[in-house]
Each structure stands twice: as structure tokens, then as C-alpha cells.
């Protein structure tokens, strides 16, 4: 389902600690259990975040101004995803800067000091990792994973780019050993996974009223969760610390039957905002869910 219409604004992502708790539980759950009656969870409370200044509450506007003031005294230029953020003169008139700053603010519940610290850590990580260059790199050894494990493909009805994640291929021990068999291989895999994310970010408009987040579809079928625990934890940590508010909705497909029980246990500890982002479908509902 591709669409050239891009008329809605993007979405919030869960609080970092909450996000890690739920996704880690998913990754660590055991797969391969027998199917049970179909269950589909789609929260009716889902609402896109708006990046128009006119939509912000007074306290949120104040936090944005505080963050801009903190960045204004930066001794050197700061930019992320090609968007200048500091000093303030560089960002003046660039509406993309407001979108990026609001992402960091929402990730820290509009605490300007914490958002500033998070942003500076992200800038440092991007410098050390070489994140600005990774999208153009030819990474050796990942041809077999392209279009299979993690890849951008198409758009949803509203124009969000869609990223698919399917790790069932690692059920094959030979593939697992070849790609993730030691620390060096894991490092290269993480670099490739960041490359996929960076290419996804390039598809975003990063402007108020535009498309500023992606859809993620994660297929849990045949996923060897114990073996992938280290890789998944690294990916989650990298993304939640350095790509705040980049996911509009997180769709889990082919979930094992016991996830309903797991979700019921975790749900009381999640915010409504977090829960509204998740769509969960059993194997028999995958096509219907993705179509919707």
C-alpha cells in the first residue's frame, strides 16, 4: 500500500525505559509455541504528534525555548540529519530544527535540560560512529540480508515510510555464525542496521505538518530470540538513545500465542501513549492488519 498523499503529522514514541521493557520482553520471549485463538490488539487512542508551534501547550513552548537557549551558547556548530541546531542563528528560519528539537523534548517529557543532554550525547555518538557517512557506505557481507532482515519498502496510507524487520533467517546456525558469530561481526551488523535506519530517516520530510516518522513492522516468526538477545539489545539501545520519536507505529506480526499473557502483565506499567503505538497481530491476521 503506497501513497503519495502525505497529509498527517508524525507520532510520539514511548518513554525510553518503558520502550526497552516491552521490546526486551518480546525479544526474550520463547518462540515456536502452538497457535491459540486469534487476538489482535489495536489501540483506539493512537494520535499523531503535531510539530506545529500553534499546537503546543504553553509549557511545551517554554521547554522548546529553554532548549534553544541552551544550544545557543554552544561553542561549535551542532547539526543532526543535516539540520543545523546550534548556534541559534544557524537554525533561525529553518523549520526542520523545531521538528528535531521537539523529538528530543518529547523523548524526555519536555524536560529541556535532559533533552539537551540527550541531544549532545547523540551528536557525540554520531561523530564517533560516523553516522552521517554510513548511509553511503558499501558494507561487505550483507548482500544476503538486504530485503530480508531489515529494509525500507513502500509507504503506508498516510505517507510514512515502512521499515520491515524479520530475523527468522538467523534460525539457521550457519547464517547466524556468519553474520553474528563474534564481537567484530556484531559490530558490523549494528553498523549495517544503523545504515538501514539512516536511509529511512532520509525519506522523512522533517518539517511541521509533514511526515516525520516511520512505521516499523517486526515479524516474530521463527525468530531465535535467545541467540539474538545481544544484538537486539544493542539495536534497541542505539535507536532509543539516538533516534527519538522516529517511529509512528510499531506493528508486531506472527506473534506467539503467549504474547497476549505477556502483554496483559506488562500493560498496567505502560503509559497510554506507549500502548497507543503498538499493533499486535497473530499469524492468521497478518494480511488484514497490514492492510488496515
Amino acid at each position: 500500500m503506497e501513497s503519495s498523499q502525505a497529509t498527517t503529522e508524525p507520532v510520539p514514541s514511548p518513554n525510553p525505559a518503558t520502550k526497552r521493557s516491552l521490546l526486551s520482553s518480546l525479544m526474550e520471549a520463547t518462540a515456536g509455541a502452538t497457535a491459540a485463538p486469534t487476538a489482535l490488539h489495536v489501540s483506539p487512542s493512537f494520535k499523531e504528534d503535531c510539530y506545529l508551534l500553534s499546537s503546543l501547550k504553553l509549557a511545551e513552548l517554554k521547554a522548546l525555548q529553554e532548549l534553544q537557549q541552551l544550544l545557543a551558547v554552544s561553542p561549535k556548530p551542532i547539526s543532526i540529519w543535516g539540520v543545523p541546531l546550534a548556534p541559534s542563528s544557524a537554525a533561525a528560519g529553518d523549520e526542520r530544527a523545531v521538528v528535531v528539537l521537539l523529538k528530543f523534548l518529547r523523548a524526555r517529557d519536555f524536560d529541556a535540560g535532559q533533552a539537551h543532554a540527550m541531544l549532545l550525547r547523540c551528536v557525540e555518538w554520531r561523530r564517533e560512529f560516523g553516522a552521517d557517512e554510513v548511509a553511503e557506505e558499501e558494507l561487505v557481507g550483507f548482500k544476503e540480508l538486504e530485503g530480508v532482515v531489515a529494509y525500507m519498502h513502500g509507504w503506508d496510507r498516510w505517507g510514512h515510510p515502512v521499515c520491515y524487520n524479520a530475523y527468522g533467517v538467523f534460525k539457521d546456525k550457519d547464517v547466524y555464525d556468519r553474520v553474528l558469530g563474534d564481537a567484530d561481526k556484531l559490530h558490523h551488523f549494528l553498523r549495517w542496521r544503523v545504515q538501514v535506519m539512516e536511509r529511512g530517516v532520509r525519506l522523512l520530510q522533517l518539517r511541521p505538518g509533514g511526515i516525520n516518522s516511520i512505521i516499523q513492522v517486526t515479524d516474530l516468526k521463527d525468530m531465535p530470540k535467545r541467540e539474538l538477545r545481544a544484538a537486539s539489545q544493542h539495536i534497541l539501545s542505539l535507536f532509543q538513545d539516538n533516534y527519538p520519536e522516529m517511529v509512528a507505529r510499531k506493528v508486531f506480526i506472527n506473534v506467539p500465542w503467549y504474547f497476549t499473557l505477556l502483554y496483559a502483565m506488562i500493560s498496567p506499567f505502560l503509559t497510554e501513549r506507549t500502548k497507543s503505538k503498538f499493533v499486535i497481530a497473530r499469524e492468521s491476521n497478518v494480511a488484514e492488519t497490514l492492510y488496515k
Side-chain angles (χ1 to χ4, degrees):
M1 297 166 293
E2 298 187 5
S3 169
S4 58
Q5 301 295 319
T7 55
T8 58
E9 285 103 24
V11 150
S13 89
N15 151 323
T18 302
K19 183 168 157 189
R20 173 179 290 144
S21 173
L22 179 57
L23 293 186
S24 295
S25 298
L26 268 173
M27 297 299 185
E28 291 167 7
T30 359
T34 17
T38 300
L40 172 65
H41 168 76
V42 182
S43 173
S45 62
F46 175 76
K47 184 181 178 183
E48 288 270 4
D49 270 346
C50 185
Y51 290 83
L52 299 170
L53 292 178
S54 59
S55 72
L56 298 179
K57 299 175 183 176
L58 188 60
E60 294 171 345
L61 273 172
K62 183 180 178 182
L64 176 60
Q65 292 167 356
E66 289 176 1
L67 180 54
Q68 289 170 329
Q69 289 167 3
L70 288 170
L71 289 169
V73 299
S74 172
K76 55 186 179 181
I78 293 177
S79 66
I80 298 180
W81 303 304
V83 179
L85 303 176
S88 56
S89 57
D94 191 334
E95 60 183 5
R96 298 176 303 165
V98 170
V99 173
V100 173
L101 295 183
L102 283 175
K103 286 182 179 293
F104 282 90
L105 283 166
R106 286 193 169 113
R108 290 296 179 264
D109 295 325
F110 282 91
D111 183 310
Q114 290 187 21
H116 182 244
M118 180 186 185
L119 191 152
L120 294 183
R121 286 194 297 270
C122 176
V123 169
E124 182 61 19
W125 170 79
R126 293 185 66 82
R127 185 190 65 78
E128 293 177 353
F129 192 87
D132 288 335
E133 297 81 35
V134 71
E136 308 299 338
E137 287 183 13
E138 287 291 335
L139 297 175
V140 179
F142 290 97
K143 285 294 181 185
E144 66 179 301
L145 303 186
E146 292 178 4
V148 177
V149 172
Y151 54 98
M152 303 298 305
H153 178 73
W155 296 265
D156 73 356
R157 294 174 183 270
W158 297 274
H160 300 96
V162 182
C163 180
Y164 292 90
N165 303 278
Y167 297 102
V169 65
F170 292 117
K171 189 175 181 180
D172 184 321
K173 190 175 184 303
D174 289 338
V175 176
Y176 175 84
D177 289 341
R178 188 161 62 250
V179 179
L180 293 166
D182 56 40
D184 286 339
K185 292 175 181 177
L186 174 59
H187 172 77
H188 289 299
F189 175 80
L190 293 175
R191 189 160 188 82
W192 173 76
R193 189 59 189 83
V194 168
Q195 182 184 72
V196 174
M197 187 64 173
E198 285 290 316
R199 290 174 176 174
V201 172
R202 289 187 177 189
L203 298 175
L204 302 177
Q205 296 167 344
L206 295 180
R207 63 173 178 79
I211 298 300
N212 304 313
S213 52
I214 68 175
I215 300 291
Q216 280 196 348
V217 178
T218 298
D219 188 351
L220 299 182
K221 187 174 183 178
D222 294 332
M223 181 176 174
K225 296 173 182 64
R226 287 193 179 90
E227 292 84 349
L228 289 181
R229 184 173 299 170
S232 62
Q233 289 291 351
H234 278 291
I235 293 169
L236 291 172
S237 179
L238 279 177
F239 285 6
Q240 71 184 10
D241 291 343
N242 301 294
Y243 297 92
E245 306 301 321
M246 283 297 183
V247 177
R249 299 204 86 167
K250 182 79 175 177
V251 184
F252 293 97
I253 62 174
N254 295 317
V255 299
W257 65 267
Y258 52 78
F259 177 76
T260 303
L261 301 177
L262 175 63
Y263 187 85
M265 290 188 292
I266 296 174
S267 185
F269 302 100
L270 304 178
T271 65
E272 288 304 314
R273 178 185 177 210
T274 297
K275 288 187 285 189
S276 75
K277 293 173 64 70
F278 288 90
V279 179
I280 300 158
R282 295 273 178 79
E283 188 169 0
S284 59
N285 280 92
V286 170
E288 177 188 357
T289 300
L290 294 181
Y291 179 77
K292 288 180 179 178

